[in-house]
Each structure stands twice: as structure tokens, then as C-alpha cells.
Amino acid sequence: MAKTKEKRSFYGTGRRKGAIARVTLTPGTGKITVNGKDVNEYMPFEVLVMDLKQPLVVTKNEESFDVDANVTGGGFSGQTGAIRLGITRALLEYDKDNAANEDSYRRILKANGFVTRDPRVKERKKYGLKGARRAPQFSKR
């Protein structure tokens, strides 16, 4: 029995700051679940939920896929960024046959800046300093 494109699940892994998200896209009604909870219940701010949904919004897939995300590490902002990148990569996996066309998801998502992973992470603390760069207060006497 051959699986059709519409019944398959599509996977994407996203990372941001200290957070890692494993995202599964399944054709459905637009329900988003994060760590077994509804996204509005899990995320404390509506802005984070809007940010997380952006790849689905720009590709006009808000009601086409159910999103199931498993996230570890980081805070809510980092987790949101990780889930967003995971959704983007899963959408690219779904649309890989159409990648050369002008209306491909890759072109749309890249134009909106969702394909690139944000490399900024917390800098490590160095010895002799109070933080990554903050030096102890200088005393002349």
C-alpha cells in the first residue's frame, strides 16, 4: 500500500538559543500542540503564538496542517524560535518536489527570513570577570 503525499507526516528540527524543537506536520485542521498542551495554554504571551505561526501564515497553511512540537531547553522566546524553524523545515520537506518553481514555499519562506537559523547564543562567562565581558570594578587605591 503506497502512502499518498496527503496522509504522510513531515518532520523538521529547529534550534534557537538553548532550545531544541522536534516538529511534526500532519495534514489536518490547524491544531497546534506543544509538549502535549494546546499552544495557547503552553505559551504565556499571544505575541509568541503569532510568531510561532508565521511560516504557516505566509504559506497560507494555517488550516491545512496539525502541528505537534516537542521542545526542550531554553525559555519561551527561544522555544518559539525553535518551533518556528522546525515548522519551516517541515514545510520545506512537504514542498521539496516544487522547490524550483516561483511559487515554492522555499522562496516565500526565504524572502521572509524563516529559513535561516538565528546563530545568536549566550556567550560563556570568562574567569576573572563577573560575566561574559563585565569586569570587576576598578579601584585606583
Side-chain angles (χ1 to χ4, degrees):
M1 185 171 112
K3 288 185 179 180
T4 62
K5 188 175 184 180
E6 303 309 313
K7 295 295 176 194
R8 282 184 39 215
S9 292
F10 301 93
Y11 303 98
T13 304
R15 292 180 198 83
R16 171 81 173 96
K17 294 185 176 182
I20 300 168
R22 293 186 306 275
V23 179
T24 308
L25 282 187
T26 326
T29 58
K31 196 176 79 180
I32 301 176
T33 317
V34 180
N35 290 348
K37 293 182 179 178
D38 181 60
V39 69
N40 296 310
E41 194 181 312
Y42 185 83
M43 293 289 171
F45 307 112
E46 190 61 37
V47 177
L48 295 177
V49 177
M50 283 171 35
D51 190 34
L52 180 143
K53 290 180 180 177
Q54 290 223 286
L56 297 169
V57 173
V58 296
T59 56
K60 298 176 180 69
N61 281 314
E62 301 109 305
E63 259 95 79
S64 313
F65 291 105
D66 286 341
V67 179
D68 186 34
N70 195 321
V71 199
T72 56
F76 288 114
S77 176
Q79 288 185 352
T80 300
I83 294 169
R84 187 172 80 173
L85 183 59
I87 291 171
T88 300
R89 287 181 173 169
L91 283 169
L92 293 177
E93 172 88 13
Y94 169 76
D95 196 48
K96 67 182 171 194
D97 304 334
N98 194 21
N101 296 354
E102 274 185 41
D103 62 339
S104 73
Y105 288 170
R106 180 162 189 86
R107 287 181 193 253
I108 296 166
L109 293 166
K110 188 126 177 97
N112 285 285
F114 298 138
V115 177
T116 310
R117 187 231 194 260
D118 191 341
R120 296 174 295 171
V121 290
K122 189 174 173 100
E123 192 176 331
R124 80 172 201 87
K125 182 196 175 298
K126 280 76 165 194
Y127 61 87
L129 300 180
K130 291 183 175 287
R133 299 184 183 200
R134 169 80 172 99
Q137 185 171 349
F138 175 74
S139 171
K140 200 176 264 188
R141 276 167 214 90

